[in-house]
Structures are given as C-alpha cells and as structure tokens.
Amino acid sequence: MSGLVGLLDDMRGRMRRQVDRVAGVAYREGMLYVAGLARGDMGAAFEVVFLENVMLQAATDEWQQAVAEKTASLLARKGWSDVRVVYAMDESDVETIETSLPMTTSADETERMAHFEVARQLHSEPASFFSALMQASDGGQAVSVLEKERAEALARAFDAAGIALWGMAAPEASFHLLCEGRALSWDGCRLPIADGLLESDGAFHGWDESFSYALYGAILMVKALPVKGRVFPLQRVELSGWAYERTALVVAAIWLVVLVGLSAADAYGWYASRREEEQAAAEFALLYGDTQRMEDERAENAWMDAQEQALRQLTEERSPAAAVLVHLGTQNADGVCLDAITLQQGKPVELKGRAVTFDALSTYVQGFERDRAFFPDGPLLRDSTRPDCDEAGTVVFSMELRWGNEQGDADGGT
C-alpha cells in the first residue's frame, strides 16, 4: 500500500510546477553581489545555497550590460543559467511619495487607488511606472515609484545575456540581515543557510552585510520572509501551479493504457461481444463528452454568478465614495486641478477646481462626456470664470456629475 501511495505522490509532484530556485543580484561601489536561494529537500522552505561577490568596474553608460553579462557568467558557473533573477537597485533609484487613502477598501483596491493618485500628482500616465505601497513611519501610506523605461532597459540587458529578469527591488537603508550561526535573521524572522556553506563548527563565518541588498528582492518575491517591501515584479509572480503539459501527457498515457487494455480484452471475446463492447465504448465516449459539456456549463454559470455577486457587493456593500474617487482618478487633464470634491447622499458629485486655460477645462469636461458608462448624464458645468483678482489668470470652475449609484450610501462631503 505504501508503494502505491509513494507512486501517487511522485506522480502528483511531477504534474505540478513550482519555483524552486531564484537568484538575487546587487551592484554597489564597484562590487557585484549574487546570492542563490533554493528550496530544501521535499519542497521545504527556501534557504541560502551560495553567495558570490566579484569586483566589477563598468562605465556609467555600460553598467547594465556589464552587470547582466557578469551575472550570467557567475550563474552559469553554478549551473543556474535557467533561474529567475531579482535585481536590487539603490534606494535613490526610486521616488517615494507620501499619500493618505481611505482604509475601507481591500488591499488590492487601495494599491490601485494609490497608483492613480501618484499618477495624478506626477502628471504621468499610470502605465508609465511601477508602484509599491507601504506604510509610512507616521502611520500614513508611502508609494514608491519606479519608471518602466528604466526597468525595461535593464530587463533587455539581462535578456541579451540569456537571463530572465523576474523583478526589481529597492531595499530600504535600514534592511540588514544579521548572521546568527546557521541562519540569517531580520526583525525576528530567520532565513536558513544551506549545510554546504557552513564551517566545521556548524556556523557560517563568511558573511558580508552587502549581501543583504542582493537577497532583499529575492526573499520578497518568493516570500522566504514574511515582510512587505519595495519590490516591482516585471513578470507574473506564481510560485506554484499545475504543469499542464505534463498533466496532459500523463492523462493521455493513462487513456492509452486503458484503450490498449480494452482492445486486448476484445481480442479474446466473440466477434459479437467485441462489437457490443465497441458500441458501448462509443456510447460511453459520447456520454462522457455530454457530461463534460454539462460540467463546463455549470462551471461557466457558477463563474457568471460569482461575477454578478462581486458586482453587487461593489455596489451594495462597499463604499460608493471610494469607487467614485477611484474613477475620478482616471479622469486627468493637463493644466487642471481639483480643489474640492463633495459627495452627499442622493445628490450629484460636486467638483470645484482651477484650470490654466478654458481649453484645458474643455478637455477635462470632454473626458466626462465620453465616460457615459459611469456618469450616464454627463457633466454639468455650473460656473467657469476668470477672477480679475487672480494675477495668474486661472479659470475657476464648478461642475456636477450624476453617477450610476447616486441613490446608494455615500460617505459625506470631502
């Protein structure tokens, strides 16, 4: 019985795919640091399996290519050419903006609101940068911003060197792993060190704190330590899942064995019996196809019901004010800023703001004209004047917006 269980466990393991190895890279003060993380035996937690550092003097305009090529060389020497890499930048390579957002929404929705809020403050397109939301020291939120152009330039250099850049990270200056015997620790969390790196006394003595920066992004991407930091994935993060190609091959092999067995059994029967069995097999295949189609339809109906339930929750249970604020974040126009947003129960949304010119105001209003899905009645521009006392010549305006869930619960004026 144990042999059968072991066989089934082995088959199940072969049909699943998971990230077992990842490398962290950092380049600081003329030194390149590369650290390798790998799962222990039987899919255990990640542990540090190697630490390498070499001197690397690269020209300012060629450092990305030099870092990528040297990293590829070090990983190839370790037999790790096919692993994913997370590169750790300097803290100064990212811009951090403090903001304050309502905490009544989910974590994903809060991060999305923060991303659009930063885009508004920077007057940038939301798709032009990555963002990471963290708690600020004063209890608010801080959003770290990484330009996509910079990240993609480094990704191209690693791709040219034959290495897959999985993501980028920006370690905080306070992040320093401490070596304690046979593990690295930080803030009460421990990261094991592989036996191959330990000395005869069972401890690791070759620790350089600069490796903390190389390990930072890697341990966050694979969740080797339960901490939240500034990490910017460039590819989808999925630590484990089904290996669909292998699963399909296993299923096909099982069906092949079944069919061969049925054919062999048919050979020993009478001709009439074989005909009946073939007919039964054909009917079974049709019945199986019908059953599969019915299951697919039930799954599709269940998925649609879940979608409708999610929409109902968004409109009935969640704060509509947060939904309006998220949606207003998508309507930006150069030269227009809002001074006040008023939300009252049963009344339209009132916006007050300033525009540098009437053309800028017209562009802003036209954005709401096109957004009839969320604001079906379009905008109502109540007032737009250029006060004589304003030396800058800005246009002061006020407008109303009627939206789809206007009669639902609102949070009040803002």
Side-chain angles (χ1 to χ4, degrees):
M1 185 67 179
S2 60
L4 178 59
V5 173
L7 178 62
L8 293 176
D9 289 340
D10 181 68
M11 183 178 298
R12 189 183 301 111
R14 292 177 180 275
M15 289 192 295
R16 293 190 64 85
R17 178 190 293 118
Q18 66 178 7
V19 176
D20 292 321
R21 301 187 302 177
V22 62
V25 179
Y27 178 54
R28 291 174 176 268
E29 300 178 354
M31 295 293 295
L32 179 67
Y33 299 89
V34 180
L37 288 175
R39 292 186 189 271
D41 295 335
M42 304 299 293
F46 280 91
E47 59 184 13
V48 180
V49 295
F50 74 82
L51 298 168
E52 293 283 345
N53 62 337
V54 295
M55 183 177 295
L56 179 63
Q57 299 294 334
T60 303
D61 57 346
E62 298 178 353
W63 72 270
Q64 295 173 328
Q65 179 181 356
V67 167
E69 291 177 351
K70 193 62 178 179
T71 300
S73 175
L74 290 175
L75 292 178
R77 192 168 63 191
K78 293 289 184 180
W80 279 42
S81 298
D82 59 339
V83 301
R84 302 178 179 184
V85 170
V86 183
Y87 181 79
M89 307 171 292
D90 292 334
E91 189 175 18
S92 59
D93 290 334
V94 299
E95 181 178 0
T96 301
I97 300 174
E98 293 189 359
T99 183
S100 180
L101 298 169
M103 301 305 294
T104 58
T105 59
S106 65
D108 292 341
E109 201 168 70
T110 302
E111 290 182 0
R112 185 170 180 268
M113 290 173 64
H115 189 86
F116 280 103
E117 172 62 18
V118 169
R120 185 189 67 81
Q121 294 186 29
L122 298 178
H123 302 288
S124 301
E125 290 294 331
S128 65
F129 61 89
F130 298 104
S131 66
L133 177 64
M134 296 181 62
Q135 293 298 315
S137 57
D138 59 357
Q141 297 94 19
V143 183
S144 296
V145 176
L146 171 64
E147 295 179 359
K148 274 192 177 181
E149 183 177 352
R150 173 179 296 184
E152 290 172 352
L154 186 63
R156 287 192 296 270
F158 272 83
D159 185 64
I163 300 296
L165 187 60
W166 198 17
M168 300 179 68
E172 299 96 324
S174 61
F175 182 80
H176 290 285
L177 291 168
L178 300 178
C179 185
E180 299 178 351
R182 56 183 301 136
L184 304 176
S185 65
W186 184 76
D187 196 22
C189 304
R190 292 173 61 84
L191 180 66
I193 300 175
D195 293 339
L197 294 179
L198 304 180
E199 303 293 339
S200 57
D201 60 353
F204 180 65
H205 300 289
W207 175 244
D208 182 343
E209 286 194 3
S210 296
F211 280 110
S212 297
Y213 300 106
L215 285 165
Y216 177 83
I219 62 179
L220 289 181
M221 290 287 279
V222 299
K223 298 179 175 57
L225 293 183
V227 296
K228 182 175 177 60
R230 291 184 298 199
V231 62
F232 309 93
L234 304 183
Q235 302 177 16
R236 183 178 179 183
V237 178
E238 187 175 354
L239 299 182
S240 64
W242 287 103
Y244 295 105
E245 299 86 354
R246 297 176 185 174
T247 304
L249 289 175
V250 171
V251 173
I254 292 175
W255 273 107
L256 180 60
V257 171
V258 171
L259 292 175
V260 170
L262 291 174
S263 300
D266 289 343
Y268 292 97
W270 296 95
Y271 175 78
S273 298
R274 285 203 309 269
R275 295 284 295 176
E276 292 176 359
E277 290 175 1
E278 290 173 356
Q279 183 177 0
E283 292 175 354
F284 174 78
L286 291 176
L287 179 60
Y288 178 79
D290 292 339
T291 303
Q292 284 294 105
R293 284 192 293 271
M294 293 174 63
E295 291 180 354
D296 292 342
E297 289 177 359
R298 284 197 294 269
E300 183 177 357
N301 291 335
W303 182 86
M304 293 176 65
D305 291 342
Q307 290 294 96
E308 291 178 358
Q309 179 65 22
L311 289 175
R312 284 196 296 270
Q313 290 179 351
L314 284 175
T315 56
E316 296 175 4
E317 298 178 2
R318 296 189 177 180
S319 170
V324 173
L325 290 176
V326 171
H327 208 75
L328 288 177
T330 64
Q331 300 292 343
N332 295 319
D334 293 336
V336 177
C337 67
L338 294 179
D339 295 327
I341 301 174
T342 303
L343 297 174
Q344 294 184 353
Q345 183 175 2
K347 293 183 179 182
V349 182
E350 296 182 7
L351 305 181
K352 293 182 179 181
R354 291 167 289 135
V356 294
T357 63
F358 281 103
D359 289 340
L361 176 57
S362 176
T363 301
Y364 187 63
V365 172
Q366 289 174 7
F368 291 105
E369 287 285 357
R370 292 190 295 270
D371 193 6
R372 293 306 183 101
F374 198 86
F375 302 109
D377 294 339
L380 174 59
L381 185 63
R382 299 183 61 87
D383 183 39
S384 60
T385 59
R386 177 173 287 158
D388 296 335
C389 59
D390 190 347
E391 297 180 357
T394 57
V395 178
V396 178
F397 69 91
S398 64
M399 60 187 295
E400 291 184 354
L401 295 168
R402 295 184 179 274
W403 56 294
N405 197 23
E406 184 177 311
Q407 298 302 323
D409 294 337
D411 288 344
T414 300

